[in-house]
Amino acid sequence: QQSLNSENDALLEKKMGDIIYREQDRVMQIKNNYDLFWERKNPEYETGTGVFNGELGIILKIEEEDKMVMLQFDDEKVAWYPFQDLDQIEHAYSITIHKAQR
């Protein structure tokens, strides 16, 4: 994180325990969440539920007032995570094949 997305006054952060989540961080979903609502706007508008272990994305926005974090996954799905659900993601700047297959 420090090398690829270092602290910057323009990027908002949220600290949860020892982990700092920052806008533009690369992250991976590490637990299946069948209930998380998502939307995708490309090529057509689409919605659904479910984000699954191993999906990769980027933190787009941290909303301190609403206590939410917006993630965009590599397949263009966008989902909002309440702060209490941030244990479902972890940084993914460098992962092993085994980790991606969990």
Side-chain angles (χ1 to χ4, degrees):
Q1 182 184 32
Q2 186 61 30
S3 296
L4 298 173
N5 190 27
S6 59
E7 189 174 355
N8 177 331
D9 289 340
L11 299 176
L12 297 178
E13 297 180 347
K14 176 61 183 168
K15 185 170 184 176
M16 298 291 287
D18 293 336
I19 301 171
I20 296 173
Y21 297 97
R22 186 176 296 127
E23 291 174 339
Q24 299 304 308
D25 273 346
R26 184 83 170 141
V27 294
M28 179 173 55
Q29 178 79 17
I30 59 167
K31 298 178 183 177
N32 291 335
N33 183 332
Y34 298 97
D35 300 320
L36 189 65
F37 175 81
W38 55 263
E39 61 185 341
R40 180 176 20 227
K41 296 179 181 171
N42 288 329
E44 296 177 14
Y45 185 74
E46 177 184 9
T47 64
T49 56
V51 178
F52 304 102
N53 187 25
E55 291 193 59
L56 296 167
I58 294 176
I59 296 176
L60 292 182
K61 187 183 287 189
I62 297 174
E63 292 282 344
E64 191 68 43
E65 185 174 316
D66 296 327
K67 296 181 175 22
M68 302 282 280
V69 173
M70 176 197 268
L71 267 70
Q72 180 173 339
F73 292 93
D74 290 352
D75 64 357
E76 302 295 321
K77 288 187 302 204
V78 174
W80 285 92
Y81 285 70
F83 284 172
Q84 69 264 18
D85 289 345
L86 291 178
D87 64 340
Q88 296 179 24
I89 62 171
E90 64 182 33
H91 290 105
Y93 289 110
S94 176
I95 63 169
T96 64
I97 295 299
H98 174 71
K99 186 70 171 180
Q101 293 174 342
R102 278 197 334 170

